Amino acid sequence: MRRAWRTDTLLPRTTALRFISVSATATCLSVAAAGQSSSARCPACGRLSRARHSRYWRTLKDLAVQGQAVILRVHVSRWRCRRAGCATQVFTERLPGVCVPHARHTQRFADIIHLVGYAVGGRGGERLLHRLGMTVSDDTLVRTLKRRASPGTSGDVLRIMGIDDWAWRK
């Protein structure tokens, strides 16, 4: 039995990606896409570059489809910065709305990780996400919560401090 997959449900809602193909295996669904840019801005100096260095496949975890894990394989470009004084000589194509630089999962996957981690916690969230087809470790859930936590303002005054009980002898 063949399934008909719609591209608008498989890819994040952005113009940064162009759908290529989808293939299903027993363990996961692999979606191939490509970046659409013919140029990119250097993240260090902001200069527009049209000098493509190379291309490579970037693998990202994405939201599960019908309880089946989804791997998003994106064909992205590396670009050269031609500005003489710039410290960045080669940089990669940015995918706004899809993922942040150096991430191994999409932004919408990270949002779900954050919400489940906040509501359920580390190990419980790990079990829940595994049942939903999105395997992630409890450490990743806690790390995501810590990364997104907003620091308290320096003007806050500590009003109550609790001290745990302990025993000097048993």
Side-chain angles (χ1 to χ4, degrees), residues 113-121 141 145:
I113 290 173
H114 176 72
L115 291 173
V116 169
Y118 187 75
V120 182
L141 285 167
L145 286 173

Side-chain angles (χ1 to χ4, degrees), residues 34-127:
Q36 295 199 116
S37 62
S38 59
S39 62
R41 292 209 176 271
C42 175
C45 67
R47 183 175 179 178
L48 188 66
S49 174
R50 295 192 195 295
R52 182 173 285 143
H53 177 271
S54 60
R55 293 178 67 85
Y56 71 101
W57 286 98
R58 185 170 176 186
T59 304
L60 304 167
K61 283 185 178 182
D62 200 10
L63 295 178
V65 173
Q66 298 179 352
Q68 193 173 21
V70 174
I71 301 296
L72 181 61
R73 298 193 67 233
V74 184
H75 204 213
V76 293
S77 300
R78 289 187 182 101
W79 300 91
R80 292 185 191 276
C81 183
R82 299 286 188 184
R83 187 168 166 232
C86 185
T88 304
Q89 293 180 354
V90 177
F91 60 95
T92 60
E93 179 178 355
R94 301 293 189 239
L95 299 171
V98 178
C99 64
V100 296
H102 307 290
R104 295 182 180 242
H105 47 262
T106 61
Q107 189 61 43
R108 62 187 186 176
F109 187 82
D111 293 341
I112 297 296
I113 290 173
H114 176 72
L115 291 173
V116 169
Y118 187 75
V120 182
R123 293 212 175 146
E126 177 185 13
R127 287 190 299 269

